C-alpha cells in the first residue's frame, strides 16, 4: 500500500459525498498505516485568476495554493480524466457545465488539466518512494496544460 486517495477537507466544492470521502480516506489511512494520504483538490487561486473568472476566492472551494504540495499533469492523464468525467456528468453544476461546453476541450484543459494534491504522511514518512514517479512537487509546476500540437 502506497497511499490512500480522497478529496480535500472542503470536499472540493462542499459536495456531501466528497466530504464523506475525505473523512473515510483519513480513517482508512490511519487504520491501514498508509505511508501517504493524498487529498485531491484544485488550486483555488489559479482558477480565480483565469480571465473569465469573477476573481472570487471562496474559502469553501478546493484548496489554497499554499496548501498544495504536488501535482500530476500530462495529456494522457487529461484524456483519462475526460473519459471518467463523461461517466459523471450529473455531478457537474448546471451553469458551469454549459459554460465549459462553450469553452470546449481547451477550456477544460486549462482549468482541470492539472491534478493537484495535498500529500500528507500520517506515518511520518519523508520520501514518496514509487509515488515520486508520478507526483511532481508543486514548485515544478510548468503552468497550465497546453493544447497538444497537431
Amino acid at each position: 500500500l502506497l497511499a490512500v486517495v480522497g478529496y480535500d477537507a472542503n470536499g472540493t466544492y462542499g459536495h456531501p459525498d466528497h466530504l464523506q470521502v475525505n473523512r473515510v480516506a483519513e480513517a482508512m489511512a490511519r487504520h491501514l498505516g498508509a505511508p501517504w494520504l493524498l487529498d485531491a483538490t484544485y488550486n483555488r487561486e489559479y482558477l480565480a485568476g483565469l480571465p473569465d473568472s469573477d476573481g472570487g476566492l471562496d474559502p469553501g472551494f478546493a484548496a489554497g495554493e499554499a496548501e498544495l504540495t504536488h501535482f500530476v499533469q500530462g495529456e494522457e492523464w487529461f484524456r483519462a480524466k475526460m473519459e471518467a468525467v463523461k461517466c459523471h456528468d450529473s455531478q457537474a453544476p448546471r451553469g458551469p457545465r454549459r459554460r465549459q461546453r462553450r469553452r470546449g476541450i481547451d477550456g477544460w484543459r486549462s482549468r482541470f488539466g492539472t491534478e493537484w494534491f495535498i500529500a500528507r504522511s500520517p506515518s511520518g514518512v519523508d520520501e514518496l518512494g514509487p509515488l515520486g514517479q508520478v507526483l511532481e512537487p508543486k514548485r515544478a509546476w510548468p503552468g497550465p496544460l497546453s493544447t497538444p500540437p497537431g
Side-chain angles (χ1 to χ4, degrees):
L1 176 69
L2 297 175
V4 173
V5 180
Y7 289 107
D8 63 44
N10 290 325
T12 307
Y13 55 92
H15 192 287
D17 293 343
H18 295 185
L19 292 167
Q20 184 64 14
V21 166
N22 172 267
R23 291 187 286 269
V24 170
E26 288 193 10
M28 288 306 299
R30 284 191 306 274
H31 176 75
L32 296 172
W36 289 99
L37 176 59
L38 302 176
D39 294 337
T41 191
Y42 296 117
N43 181 334
R44 109 174 118 233
E45 284 91 356
Y46 168 73
L47 292 174
L50 290 171
D52 59 347
S53 169
D54 68 4
L57 283 174
D58 177 358
F61 177 75
E65 192 168 318
E67 299 171 82
L68 304 172
T69 62
H70 294 82
F71 72 94
V72 172
Q73 181 173 289
E75 188 63 24
E76 69 280 6
W77 300 105
F78 177 70
R79 293 284 175 184
K81 180 179 186 173
M82 291 297 91
E83 288 302 312
V85 166
K86 288 178 187 177
C87 298
H88 299 284
D89 190 54
S90 66
Q91 294 300 308
R94 294 258 180 237
R97 183 174 54 207
R98 282 194 293 269
R99 284 195 302 268
Q100 288 295 350
R101 283 188 184 136
R102 284 195 304 266
R103 290 181 192 127
I105 193 74
D106 289 333
W108 274 89
R109 187 177 276 105
S110 66
R111 280 166 177 67
F112 307 116
T114 302
E115 296 296 319
W116 288 103
F117 296 94
I118 302 168
R120 300 181 282 145
S121 177
S123 60
V125 174
D126 289 331
E127 294 297 320
L128 287 171
L131 289 172
Q133 295 173 19
V134 176
L135 295 175
E136 297 284 341
K138 172 179 74 173
R139 69 181 176 281
W141 188 51
L145 186 63
S146 59
T147 304

